[in-house]
Amino acid sequence: MMQKQRAKGQRESVFNNEVVSRFELYNSLFLTLPFYRVKDTGTLLPLFIKYCEDGVKNHETPAGIINAFFEKYTQNNSKKDIIDLLFRFIQYIERQVVLFDAVEDASFNKLNADEEHSALLVYLKKGVDNPALTEKIEKLIEDFSLRLVLTAHPTQFYPGSVLSIITDLTTAIKTNDISTINQLLQQLGKTPFFNKKSPTPVDEALSLAWYLENVFYFAAANIQSEIDKSLNDYNLESKKIIELGFWPGGDRDGNPNVHTDSTIQVSKMLRQILFRCYYRDFRNLKRRITFRGVEENIALVQETLYEQAFNPNIATEDISGSLIERLNKIKTTLLEDHDGLFADLVSDLIRKIELYGSHFASLDIRQDSRVLRDVHAYCRQSKPLTTLYPENYDDLNEQEKINALIFKSAKVNYTETPDSLTEDTLQTIAEIKQIQQINGALACHRFIISNCQQASDVLQLIELFLYNGWTEEELTIDFVPLFETVHDLADAAEIMETLYSHPFYKKHLQKRGGKQHIMLGFSDSTKDGGYLMANWSIFNAKVALTATADKHNIQLAFFDGRGGPPSRGGGKTHRFYASMGKEIANKNIQLTVQGQSISSQYGSIDSAEFNMEQLINAGISAGMKEKHNILLDPLHKNLLDEMATESYDAFVALRQHPLFLSYLEKFSPLTLLSKITISSRPVKRNSGGALKLEDLRAISFVTAWSQLKQNIPGFYGIGTALKSQLELGNWDKVVKTYQESGYFKTIIDNCMMSMSKSDFAITAYFANDKEYGAFWSTLYEEFELSKELLLKLSGHESLMENYPVEKRSISVREKIVLPLVLIQHYALEQLQNENADEEELQSLEKLAIRTVYGIVNAGRNLA
């Protein structure tokens, strides 16, 4: 214990010296740069920050703080001048966030130098004289995989130009290159941070592809290289462990801007970027391999890679196999005739081609079950299908529908003109085959069914494939149900039992290697049932789904739709996976990485390698231990059942409060999120109608609360649940569960992280609002209750006490963006001024919108 405390103290000391001190040094340099025509912005900003901090401590209103500042420190106090200077402050603060990111990233290796080493290597060493352990390792490696799926959710996307500056700035900071840092800060000050119009799905794909090309291409290959070396050292066969997935251009659930041509464009773009990466590597390789005996193969590989990388009109097919064959011939010649000189460079390129093939990342297709049901109904109206189904098909119960399905390939003659969603679905199903032929079978092989509520949702989709160009024999598709709401999670195991027992689906799964992918959504389950109920529902669903899969001898791969913040499944991700017991399938770790979590956790090669290694370590450790999860013991299970129900009731009561939605609309930028130009996806599903909670996207819901610095979805109901157990005399049982269950401890730790990013002092003046004062007090009281009892449960004196570096990082970031939060409240309040003219209202709206970017970016896993 003493050693751990010392290590924590050392990390904290490194953070203060390497991050906080350097940021303050470079920030002072940054504030002297005369940007944007306002010479004294850098001088006034520190004064403004201090005014904001003091004003919040005194529970003053944002308008009071800002007006008092301008009266004291400026001469021109017209509304236009105030708004203009506030815009300049925002521009500086946005760039301060980037500077802090770069400084923190530059210190990444120093901060994480003492973290645990490869779990695989540890177990391999233990297995040297233990044949049974070695056999277990071999079996685990054979089954194990990590799939990271990059998704374009509207939480943060720096333009590629800014990402490149961050990368170069991080490099310069590592060596304290003041001259370069100064130039890059000047470049940063003059570079736009966002697009003037919303990106298309293809634009989003291109933004995300920056990470594939500049980070994952190297990081995943480096990790795979270490794994190969470890396995080879112990005479075990190498196994591809890392897979990459991609959603932009394929995820059309609720996004009317994604069309078939978007999907095709993105698949082509991924291929071309990949081959440019290959070509770049090959050029370096060719400079070293200048020996006789390899000339022909060198020339052929170069010509092939050049054509694939730069000729958009070339006829394409999956050529990864032929490339590997040619490179192996080069490698053999080097080994046999040239003492193996530079054979390692060839091996590295071969490894990358084995990892990424001709596709780079698998493009997932996702659509809502309600849309897919409509498409199936449309198909049934056409010949020859119209005669094969009963006329009252839609009125049949679930089992009757399943019995009526025919699973026959058919050439359908569509007579009626389909609506846009139906047409897109049918075209996409047909085009997936083309994508597979061009980029390989792994290029696009998963169709995810959002809002999956019954087995027929999956089976009907299979029929849609059979009606649109596919046959049973060539159906190289994995059908992935997505269970999201608390109710759907409870029904998930029963739905899968129906599917596993169905003759056609059973046969299809056998052809797919007996492996079933199931996606579980944290975001909507949290929005639906609150933080604790969402996590507990997903845990129970995983246990039940694993038991059902085991019963049918199915290898189960859970795909977790995890967002950045704890309220959407984020937080300490590797601890979440390490805490699984043998009752939960955990050999295939699959998760979405989205929003600012991509840049914060996978923004550099160092951080990407570290976070992927942590996930692999978690999976290997959990797989080797296969320990029983104590939450399934009656004592702990009953306790969590009760707490989840109490938390759920409290959260639902809050959601049903008549002021719930109007509070968000009035005090947060919720209604303005649709005008933020960082996403092609609408804020809500029913884009034409009035705002309803059920239509509001979970990500917008969470973002609105995080902007308020209240983070309600990440904790609300926890305090009520803990208080109830305390009053019932069950506190010792709760403590015992916290101490013995890694899963429950992870939930609690992540909850405390979410609360650490909350600051009710900023909105304390809401308490005086005649209409919403009591509602704000309800939120605040639950926060204080939750904080008090979580600290009592953990034995800590402050939130995140056991993560001092992360806590300090959050504290610095919150201090940086505090003025943005107050400017946002000021703008939103002024927007309700009936006397403001149209020009002023537009300026205030832009002001409020601009604050959102910096607040989200600084939070790193806020939304």
Side-chain angles (χ1 to χ4, degrees):
M1 180 62 74
M2 185 63 70
Q3 191 172 5
K4 283 188 177 180
Q5 288 176 345
R6 192 179 298 121
K8 283 181 182 177
Q10 288 172 350
R11 284 190 75 224
E12 198 170 1
S13 176
V14 169
F15 186 85
N16 287 329
N17 292 329
E18 294 290 331
V19 180
V20 178
S21 297
R22 289 168 103 186
F23 170 70
E24 290 172 352
L25 173 66
Y26 297 136
N27 189 40
S28 63
L29 172 69
F30 183 59
L31 288 172
T32 63
L33 300 176
F35 294 139
Y36 302 110
R37 306 186 307 278
V38 183
K39 190 167 60 176
D40 56 356
T41 303
T43 306
L44 289 173
L45 181 56
L47 297 172
F48 183 63
I49 292 171
K50 184 70 168 64
Y51 238 73
C52 290
E53 290 172 351
D54 292 343
V56 167
K57 284 179 186 174
N58 297 326
H59 295 173
E60 296 173 18
T61 68
I65 294 168
I66 289 172
N67 290 331
F69 170 81
F70 276 88
E71 285 176 15
K72 183 170 183 178
Y73 290 106
T74 66
Q75 294 177 336
N76 299 319
N77 293 329
S78 69
K79 273 288 174 62
K80 186 177 182 304
D81 290 328
I82 290 174
I83 291 172
D84 185 63
L85 185 55
L86 291 178
F87 264 117
R88 309 307 169 203
F89 284 160
I90 291 171
Q91 289 169 332
Y92 263 83
I93 294 168
E94 285 174 335
R95 287 154 178 81
Q96 284 180 315
V97 171
V98 169
L99 176 59
F100 189 78
D101 284 349
V103 173
E104 199 168 37
D105 289 345
S107 306
F108 186 87
N109 286 337
K110 290 182 181 179
L111 285 169
N112 296 286
D114 297 326
E115 288 292 330
E116 58 198 90
H117 297 290
S118 167
L120 174 61
L121 198 53
V122 170
Y123 283 111
L124 286 170
K125 288 178 180 177
K126 288 180 180 178
V128 170
D129 299 315
N130 188 337
L133 182 58
T134 301
E135 185 180 347
K136 191 175 181 181
I137 294 169
E138 285 189 69
K139 182 70 175 76
L140 178 60
I141 291 298
E142 184 182 329
D143 295 336
F144 184 79
S145 66
L146 168 66
R147 180 187 291 237
L148 297 177
V149 182
L150 306 187
T151 73
H153 279 59
T155 53
Q156 176 265 332
F157 282 112
Y158 287 125
S161 54
V162 175
L163 290 171
S164 297
I165 295 172
I166 294 173
T167 301
D168 294 341
L169 188 58
T170 301
T171 303
I173 290 171
K174 283 181 179 179
T175 57
N176 287 317
D177 184 349
I178 298 294
S179 175
T180 302
I181 291 168
N182 186 48
Q183 286 184 326
L184 290 169
L185 289 176
Q186 291 191 53
Q187 182 187 358
L188 190 68
K190 296 177 180 294
T191 302
F193 264 44
F194 59 94
N195 302 312
K196 289 189 176 180
K197 60 179 183 178
S198 294
T200 67
V202 177
D203 293 333
E204 288 175 329
L206 196 57
S207 295
L208 266 190
W210 187 93
Y211 293 97
L212 287 178
E213 180 180 1
N214 295 283
V215 178
F216 285 98
Y217 177 77
F218 300 103
N222 291 345
I223 292 175
Q224 187 66 51
S225 175
E226 289 299 314
I227 290 169
D228 290 347
K229 184 178 183 301
S230 297
L231 293 174
N232 291 335
D233 286 348
Y234 289 88
N235 298 315
L236 296 176
E237 189 176 339
S238 297
K239 161 73 166 54
K240 174 185 171 182
I241 281 182
I242 300 172
E243 302 167 354
L244 299 177
F246 206 71
W247 272 21
D251 178 17
R252 58 243 304 133
D253 176 20
N255 190 344
N257 299 308
V258 178
H259 306 292
T260 309
D261 60 341
S262 312
T263 306
I264 296 169
Q265 276 184 267
V266 171
S267 69
K268 289 179 178 178
M269 181 201 71
L270 289 174
R271 180 190 176 99
Q272 189 168 41
I273 289 173
L274 173 63
F275 276 96
R276 287 178 183 175
C277 291
Y278 289 159
Y279 183 72
R280 179 181 58 200
D281 276 5
F282 187 78
R283 287 286 302 273
N284 294 331
L285 181 153
K286 186 189 174 188
R287 290 178 65 186
R288 296 288 169 263
I289 303 175
T290 52
F291 321 133
R292 295 198 181 279
V294 296
E295 300 92 339
E296 182 182 351
N297 282 314
I298 287 281
L300 284 169
V301 172
Q302 177 167 352
E303 182 184 359
T304 301
L305 291 177
Y306 183 85
E307 285 293 310
Q308 296 293 331
F310 301 107
N311 184 353
N313 300 316
I314 190 171
T316 50
E317 60 180 345
D318 180 11
I319 60 169
S320 56
S322 61
L323 277 173
I324 290 171
E325 187 180 338
R326 293 259 177 215
L327 288 168
N328 270 321
K329 287 179 180 178
I330 295 171
K331 182 179 174 181
T332 300
T333 303
L334 295 179
L335 292 171
E336 292 179 352
D337 301 338
H338 302 288
D339 302 317
L341 191 58
F342 300 125
D344 57 327
L345 295 179
V346 184
S347 296
D348 180 63
L349 184 53
I350 291 172
R351 182 179 298 109
K352 286 170 178 170
I353 297 173
E354 288 174 341
L355 277 175
Y356 312 125
S358 295
H359 63 281
F360 215 158
S362 295
L363 187 59
D364 286 346
I365 308 297
R366 183 172 76 134
Q367 185 54 281
D368 191 280
S369 64
R370 290 162 290 194
V371 172
L372 298 175
R373 287 173 209 157
D374 290 342
V375 178
H376 193 264
Y378 168 80
C379 292
R380 293 197 311 270
Q381 296 168 5
S382 305
K383 293 181 180 180
L385 301 181
T386 185
T387 60
L388 301 176
Y389 291 90
E391 289 185 14
N392 65 336
Y393 178 87
D394 288 324
D395 298 324
L396 300 177
N397 64 36
E398 172 70 353
Q399 191 55 54
E400 289 171 336
K401 282 182 181 177
I402 291 174
N403 292 340
L405 298 175
I406 57 174
F407 299 103
K408 301 288 184 186
S409 294
K411 185 168 179 57
V412 183
N413 297 311
Y414 299 116
T415 51
E416 292 187 16
T417 303
D419 60 40
S420 58
L421 283 176
T422 299
E423 185 174 23
D424 173 72
T425 303
L426 297 177
Q427 286 181 353
T428 300
I429 287 171
E431 288 295 341
I432 291 173
K433 182 186 288 187
Q434 185 70 13
I435 293 172
Q436 288 193 358
Q437 289 171 352
I438 293 173
N439 290 0
L442 292 177
C444 187
H445 66 97
R446 303 203 306 184
F447 200 119
I448 299 162
I449 306 157
S450 299
N451 192 41
C452 187
Q453 297 179 328
Q454 50 208 18
S456 58
D457 287 334
V458 177
L459 298 174
Q460 287 177 172
L461 176 58
I462 293 177
E463 287 204 315
L464 293 181
F465 273 78
L466 296 177
Y467 302 156
N468 291 279
W470 296 77
T471 64
E472 179 183 344
E473 291 70 29
E474 64 181 7
L475 198 55
T476 50
I477 300 292
D478 296 306
F479 298 95
V480 185
L482 166 52
F483 302 110
E484 300 177 86
T485 66
V486 172
H487 180 269
D488 291 345
L489 287 164
D491 292 343
E494 185 180 341
I495 290 171
M496 296 313 299
E497 172 69 34
T498 302
L499 287 172
Y500 296 149
S501 304
H502 190 277
F504 186 94
Y505 195 76
K506 188 175 182 180
K507 188 177 176 183
H508 173 70
L509 271 188
Q510 288 172 347
K511 291 177 183 174
R512 301 299 295 159
K515 186 175 182 179
Q516 173 68 53
H517 303 249
I518 296 177
M519 187 173 181
L520 301 173
F522 282 82
S523 301
D524 283 291
S525 53
T526 305
K527 176 176 164 252
D528 179 47
Y531 178 74
L532 184 57
M533 176 58 90
N535 278 279
W536 187 233
S537 296
I538 288 171
F539 177 87
N540 286 321
K542 283 191 170 185
V543 171
L545 286 164
T546 301
T548 305
D550 288 345
K551 173 183 166 184
H552 291 271
N553 197 29
I554 300 295
Q555 183 186 350
L556 190 54
F558 285 120
F559 175 26
D560 291 311
R562 301 171 66 86
S567 56
R568 294 202 299 114
K572 293 290 181 180
T573 305
H574 65 284
R575 296 188 187 279
F576 168 82
Y577 287 107
S579 67
M580 300 298 173
K582 64 182 180 180
E583 297 82 6
I584 292 178
N586 202 29
K587 291 177 181 176
N588 301 105
I589 294 179
Q590 302 186 15
L591 64 151
T592 54
V593 188
Q594 54 192 248
Q596 74 278 40
S597 295
I598 299 174
S599 57
S600 65
Q601 296 178 22
Y602 302 93
S604 69
I605 295 172
D606 289 340
S607 61
E609 283 186 31
F610 175 81
N611 283 296
M612 284 191 277
E613 283 172 351
Q614 292 286 77
L615 288 169
I616 292 170
N617 285 349
I620 295 289
S621 299
M624 291 303 296
K625 293 173 185 174
E626 291 190 338
K627 60 183 178 182
H628 169 71
N629 198 310
I630 62 124
L631 289 183
L632 296 173
D633 296 340
L635 171 70
H636 303 289
K637 188 177 188 312
N638 292 340
L639 187 71
L640 263 294
D641 281 340
E642 289 177 14
M643 287 180 61
T645 300
E646 289 156 355
S647 175
Y648 175 79
D649 290 344
F651 187 78
V652 170
L654 181 70
R655 273 186 41 154
Q656 292 174 346
H657 193 289
L659 295 179
F660 184 82
L661 197 54
S662 62
Y663 176 86
L664 273 182
E665 289 182 287
K666 181 179 175 68
F667 294 115
S668 84
L670 178 62
T671 56
L672 299 177
L673 292 181
S674 60
K675 299 182 180 182
I676 294 177
T677 57
I678 58 174
S679 174
S680 68
R681 183 186 297 274
V683 170
K684 58 192 181 76
R685 284 182 166 84
N686 180 21
S687 57
L691 182 63
K692 295 179 182 177
L693 189 58
E694 56 268 28
D695 292 330
L696 186 63
R697 291 193 168 280
I699 199 165
S700 305
F701 179 72
V702 171
T703 299
W705 285 113
S706 69
Q707 294 287 309
L708 274 167
K709 292 298 169 188
Q710 293 176 0
N711 293 334
I712 293 302
F715 74 86
Y716 198 91
I718 285 272
T720 297
L722 288 172
K723 181 184 178 184
S724 175
Q725 293 304 311
L726 181 64
E727 291 173 346
L728 288 170
N730 292 336
W731 189 253
D732 289 343
K733 294 179 183 178
V734 179
V735 172
K736 181 179 173 67
T737 303
Y738 174 78
Q739 292 173 343
E740 294 183 359
S741 168
Y743 184 84
F744 184 55
K745 190 174 189 301
T746 299
I747 290 175
I748 296 300
D749 285 354
N750 285 340
C751 180
M752 288 197 279
M753 178 194 290
S754 188
M755 295 179 72
S756 295
K757 298 183 180 184
S758 301
D759 187 354
F760 276 80
I762 294 173
T763 53
Y765 69 96
F766 285 11
N768 300 320
D769 189 283
K770 291 181 180 179
E771 185 176 2
Y772 293 97
F775 183 79
W776 179 88
S777 296
T778 299
L779 304 179
Y780 177 61
E781 287 163 9
E782 180 67 17
F783 176 85
E784 287 296 308
L785 177 64
S786 299
K787 180 179 176 181
E788 176 192 346
L789 294 180
L790 286 171
L791 292 177
K792 178 180 173 68
L793 175 62
S794 61
H796 296 160
E797 294 182 4
S798 61
L799 296 172
M800 292 190 71
E801 183 180 301
N802 51 336
Y803 298 109
V805 169
E806 290 83 350
K807 178 181 178 179
R808 184 84 172 97
S809 176
I810 290 170
S811 173
V812 175
R813 290 172 180 279
E814 293 301 306
K815 181 177 179 179
I816 292 171
V817 298
L818 175 62
L820 296 186
V821 180
L822 294 178
I823 292 171
Q824 183 183 106
H825 285 299
Y826 169 81
L828 291 174
E829 183 182 337
Q830 296 298 310
L831 276 169
Q832 296 170 40
N833 182 359
E834 296 178 356
N835 298 321
D837 59 38
E838 187 62 31
E839 184 180 349
E840 183 182 327
L841 289 174
Q842 287 183 359
S843 296
L844 288 166
E845 190 174 274
K846 288 179 182 177
L847 192 68
I849 289 170
R850 279 296 298 275
T851 61
V852 174
Y853 297 95
I855 295 170
V856 171
N857 290 342
R860 285 209 156 185
N861 69 348
L862 262 182

